[in-house]
Amino acid sequence: MVVSDNTKGLILAVLSSTFIGSSFIVKKKGLKRAALFGTSAGVGGYTYLLEPLWWAGMVMMIVGEVANFVAYVFAPAVLVTPLGALSIIISAILAHFSLNERLQKMGVLGCVSCIVGSVVIVIHAPQEQTPNSIEEIWKLATQPAFLIYVAATLSIVLALVLHFEPHYGQTNVLVNLGICSLMGSLTVVSIKAIGIAIKLTLEGVSQVAYPQTWFFLTVATVSVITQLNYLNKALDTFNTSIVSPIYYVMFTTLTIAANAIMFKDWSGQDVGSIASEICGFITVLSGTVILHATREEEEQSTGPDAGTLTWYVSGDPVKAINDDHFIILRSSDYFA
């Protein structure tokens, strides 16, 4: 039985999401266990580095990322990238059962939306057309349409880094995440090129001697470092429940756009299939936003500042309690 490249990419993408989604739960359980015997990571402790469960989670995450890397070699980004939302579903479901983090009704709706959107994308995804050499990939990377995309991307990134980030980076989440997402789109196309080069080399057609291979490797390295730097800035400044969905939407959209321009993912598809993929993509994005919004509401409702504070103010020690005054604060806005 011959398995198509799209099917291989699909299986790898689902496995990647399964490992990554599960790794969040395993690492969190490891962090909780480590906090019982030392300083927790939330206040700067590193006890978790001695916890085997945390390392098991890290290994699972690495395996998931490797599977995701290989998936881009076999399948187009329009299929692989949106399936990353499945990791959010898996972590939410596992957290519900193993960490007692209740999955609300709206959270279930978010999960269903992600699954429905993913199925639509899988059904209508285009077949991958793998180049036969790194030189063919280089021709795709130097076509006018993609060069315009790269020029526009780098121009916007420079403007964000040099002007907007120093002035608005601490107040507008879109600044740092814009840099991450734009550089992330270049990261994915570069990694895809490297993956294809590795695949061809393993098949006996060595691509190591070509300077283009090392160029793509350099671009991927610089892009990843830049991406992680500004993502850390965003996470350090803003709430994770805000950063995660916005970053996912921006990164996924720009990655699909970059791959569609460079690798012509939608070439040969009819309007109906493209429209179905876009609708499925929007459904996945909507489900992701709903999931994160549900988590944020739950954190606010169960957080340490969400309780009710009551104290007794005695105006006259002779009065009975029923005759005296109480001050009750029920809004977290009063806890400064």
Side-chain angles (χ1 to χ4, degrees):
M1 179 180 177
V2 179
V3 181
S4 67
D5 284 349
N6 265 24
T7 303
K8 294 177 183 177
L10 170 63
I11 294 172
L12 287 168
V14 172
L15 286 175
S16 170
S17 295
T18 302
F19 275 101
I20 292 174
S22 302
S23 72
F24 290 137
I25 306 304
V26 176
K27 286 200 299 180
K28 188 164 184 176
K29 290 178 77 70
L31 289 171
K32 285 187 174 183
R33 183 183 295 180
L36 297 175
F37 304 100
T39 307
S40 66
V43 292
Y46 295 96
T47 313
Y48 62 89
L49 293 176
L50 302 176
E51 175 55 52
L53 196 59
W54 183 86
W55 281 108
M58 278 300 297
V59 171
M60 292 175 67
M61 176 168 282
I62 292 171
V63 171
E65 292 295 348
V66 171
N68 190 57
F69 169 80
V70 179
Y72 278 110
V73 177
F74 292 102
V78 69
L79 172 62
V80 177
T81 308
L83 290 179
L86 294 180
S87 65
I88 303 173
I89 298 175
I90 292 168
S91 65
I93 294 174
L94 291 178
H96 177 80
F97 291 104
S98 62
L99 296 176
N100 295 320
E101 296 180 2
R102 187 179 177 186
L103 186 61
Q104 305 293 336
K105 291 181 179 179
M106 289 300 293
V108 175
L109 176 61
C111 290
V112 172
S113 297
C114 288
I115 294 172
V116 171
S118 299
V119 170
V120 172
I121 291 173
V122 169
I123 292 174
H124 297 278
Q127 288 296 320
E128 176 76 342
Q129 299 175 356
T130 306
N132 296 317
S133 69
I134 197 71
E135 291 181 320
E136 285 189 28
I137 302 175
W138 182 254
K139 289 180 180 178
L140 293 173
T142 54
Q143 60 184 316
F146 188 69
L147 289 177
I148 291 173
Y149 176 83
V150 172
T153 296
L154 295 179
S155 298
I156 296 172
V157 167
L158 284 174
L160 289 172
V161 170
L162 298 178
H163 176 71
F164 290 96
E165 201 278 331
H167 295 89
Y168 308 105
Q170 298 295 315
T171 57
N172 193 325
V173 69
L174 296 178
V175 176
N176 286 320
L177 292 186
I179 299 171
C180 294
S181 302
L182 288 165
M183 296 303 294
S185 67
L186 299 181
T187 299
V188 171
V189 295
S190 300
I191 286 178
K192 187 177 179 72
I194 296 167
I196 293 173
I198 293 174
K199 178 186 175 185
L200 292 171
T201 300
L202 293 176
E203 291 175 350
V205 185
S206 179
Q207 306 294 307
V208 177
Y210 292 97
Q212 293 93 331
T213 302
W214 300 101
F215 175 81
F216 284 121
L217 181 61
T218 302
V219 171
T221 303
V222 173
S223 298
V224 166
I225 293 173
T226 305
Q227 191 178 348
L228 291 177
N229 179 42
Y230 286 95
L231 178 59
N232 286 334
K233 286 187 176 183
L235 289 171
D236 189 51
T237 306
F238 301 97
N239 193 304
T240 305
S241 60
I242 296 175
V243 173
S244 296
I246 294 177
Y247 178 55
Y248 177 79
V249 170
M250 294 177 67
F251 171 75
T252 306
T253 303
L254 290 169
T255 296
I256 291 176
N259 279 266
I261 294 171
M262 178 173 170
F263 292 99
K264 304 185 185 301
D265 289 340
W266 286 333
S267 178
Q269 281 199 299
D270 55 51
V271 176
S273 296
I274 295 174
S276 297
E277 290 169 32
I278 293 174
C279 290
F281 175 53
I282 293 173
T283 304
V284 171
L285 295 184
S286 302
T288 304
V289 172
I290 291 172
L291 262 175
H292 280 283
T294 304
R295 283 185 173 184
E296 183 180 10
E297 288 177 3
E298 184 176 355
E299 288 175 1
Q300 290 177 349
S301 63
T302 60
D305 291 344
T308 299
L309 175 65
T310 305
W311 71 84
Y312 172 72
V313 179
S314 177
D316 189 340
V318 179
K319 288 183 179 180
I321 292 180
N322 292 335
D323 298 326
D324 224 327
H325 303 286
F326 290 87
I327 297 176
I328 302 175
L329 299 179
R330 297 187 182 275
S331 173
S332 61
D333 294 334
Y334 291 91
F335 296 85

